[in-house]
Amino acid sequence: MINRRLILGLITAAGIAPRAVAHVAPQRSEIRDDLAKRFTDAGTVGTFVGYKTDGYLIIASDKDRSGEALLPASTFKIPNSLIALETGVVGDPDNDVFKWDGVKRSIEAWNQDHTLRSAIAASAVPVYQEIARRIGTERMQKYVDLFEYGNRNIGGGIDQFWLTGEMRIDPIQQIDFVDRLRRGVLPVSRRSQDLVRDILPVTKLGDAAIRAKSGLLGAELGKPSLGWLVGWAEKGSAQTVFALNMDIREPRHVADRMKLTQQCLADIGGI
C-alpha cells in the first residue's frame, strides 16, 4: 500500500501511483497544458485527471489543483449507495421507495418519490440525506474508513458532511476510489459493487460510454459554486478512470462539466 502523501507526488515524480494499482505495474504520469486550456477557454478554472488503465498512465491538466482536497458534494452518492446496500438500508435499488417528504424544492426532479436508481440519476440530495440518517454515524464512519475515502472526516452532521461539513477529497483520491469500484475490489460484497456500477448514470458516445456521477456544491441552495464529475470511460476493451472539478462561475458551467470531460477524454484518447 502506498502512503497517501506519496500519491500526491504522482504528478511530479514518475512511478508514483494510486494505491489501487500500485502493485500492478510501474506508473507513468504526464502534465498536459492543452487540458488546462480547456478550462481557460470555458472561462473558468478547474482540473482534469485521467488514468488510462491499459497503459498504467496518469494524465493531468496541472500539478496543483489535481491534489487539492475539496468537498465531494454529490459524488459522495457513490459510497453512500454502496453503504446503503451493504447495510441493508436499501435492499433493492429498483423496488425500495423513498417517499417524497412533501417539501417543495427548486430542483423539480427532487419533488417526487424515488428508488435508489432514480435518486442517483436525479442526484436527489434529500433522498441521500435520509439514507445517511438511516445508516447512522457509527456505520457511516466504519465504511468511510474501510473505503479510505478522502480525509475520512464525517464531521458536520450525518446528513451534511459531504455538502457543508468536514469531508474533503481530491481528484487523485476520487480516481483511486472509483477505480476500486470499477474493478470490484472495495471491501464490501460483490453484489453491492455490481449494483452501484449498474445504477451509475451512463452517457453513450458512439462506440464509447461514460459511466459517471456528477457533483454540484451549493445545488440544494440554488447557488452552485463547484462542479465535479467522476467515473470512467469505456471504449472497446480500454477504460479510462477520471475526475474533473471546476469552479461554477456562470450557469452554463453546470453543463460544461460533461462537455469538458468529454473534450479532455477525447484529447487523451479515452473516448
Side-chain angles (χ1 to χ4, degrees):
M1 182 179 296
I2 286 187
N3 183 280
R4 175 70 192 94
R5 296 180 185 275
L6 294 182
I7 296 174
L8 287 177
L10 72 90
I11 299 303
T12 54
I16 303 301
R19 166 185 39 72
V21 293
H23 301 300
V24 177
Q27 292 291 299
R28 297 177 295 132
S29 57
E30 297 178 5
I31 296 291
R32 291 271 296 269
D33 292 337
D34 59 321
L35 301 179
K37 188 174 183 296
R38 292 290 189 185
F39 296 96
T40 303
D41 290 348
T44 188
V45 294
T47 188
F48 174 88
V49 183
Y51 167 54
K52 303 193 73 173
T53 64
D54 55 352
Y56 305 107
L57 173 64
I58 296 168
I59 303 172
S61 62
D62 64 276
K63 65 180 181 181
D64 296 317
R65 185 158 172 154
S66 60
E68 182 181 352
L70 304 167
L71 278 158
S74 284
T75 65
F76 188 75
K77 287 184 173 68
I78 302 176
N80 208 358
S81 297
L82 284 165
I83 298 166
L85 289 162
E86 194 69 10
T87 57
V89 166
V90 175
D92 187 316
D94 293 302
N95 292 313
D96 289 7
V97 176
F98 291 84
K99 292 291 187 180
W100 178 39
D101 61 8
V103 177
K104 187 77 171 177
R105 296 176 175 88
S106 60
I107 299 175
E108 190 58 38
W110 295 1
N111 301 325
Q112 62 186 62
D113 296 349
H114 277 287
T115 62
L116 192 67
R117 186 184 299 275
S118 68
I120 199 167
S123 205
V125 168
V127 173
Y128 275 88
Q129 288 180 308
E130 175 60 22
I131 287 171
R133 288 190 289 268
R134 294 186 189 182
I135 291 169
T137 301
E138 184 176 344
R139 291 192 295 183
M140 184 69 78
Q141 187 67 67
K142 170 188 171 182
Y143 283 99
V144 166
D145 286 341
L146 282 172
F147 294 161
E148 301 180 32
Y149 187 88
N151 65 356
R152 312 187 194 186
N153 189 338
I154 64 170
I158 187 60
D159 57 3
Q160 286 290 332
F161 65 85
W162 69 93
L163 299 168
T164 61
E166 302 302 321
M167 175 66 72
R168 297 291 186 275
I169 192 167
D170 65 48
I172 303 303
Q173 292 172 317
Q174 290 271 29
I175 285 177
D176 176 38
F177 174 74
V178 169
D179 186 58
R180 284 181 286 151
L181 172 63
R182 179 188 68 87
R183 295 186 295 123
V185 297
L186 287 166
V188 289
S189 69
R190 180 161 291 277
R191 175 182 182 271
S192 295
Q193 294 178 82
D194 287 346
L195 287 172
V196 171
R197 285 197 300 270
D198 183 62
I199 66 174
L200 278 177
V202 179
T203 300
K204 300 284 189 178
L205 300 163
D207 62 347
I210 297 174
R211 194 175 300 273
K213 183 67 196 78
S214 61
L216 194 61
L217 200 62
E220 69 282 1
L221 304 175
K223 298 178 180 179
S225 58
L226 172 74
W228 279 100
L229 195 66
V230 305
W232 66 92
E234 304 167 346
K235 185 176 182 180
S237 62
Q239 299 195 2
T240 303
V241 188
F242 67 85
L244 171 144
N245 70 52
M246 57 186 282
D247 291 355
I248 305 298
R249 296 178 173 177
E250 302 177 35
R252 64 184 174 88
H253 288 151
V254 174
D256 280 350
R257 290 172 298 172
M258 178 58 80
K259 177 183 176 181
L260 288 170
T261 294
Q262 292 181 16
Q263 290 175 340
C264 289
L265 283 168
D267 289 343
I268 67 173
I271 57 174

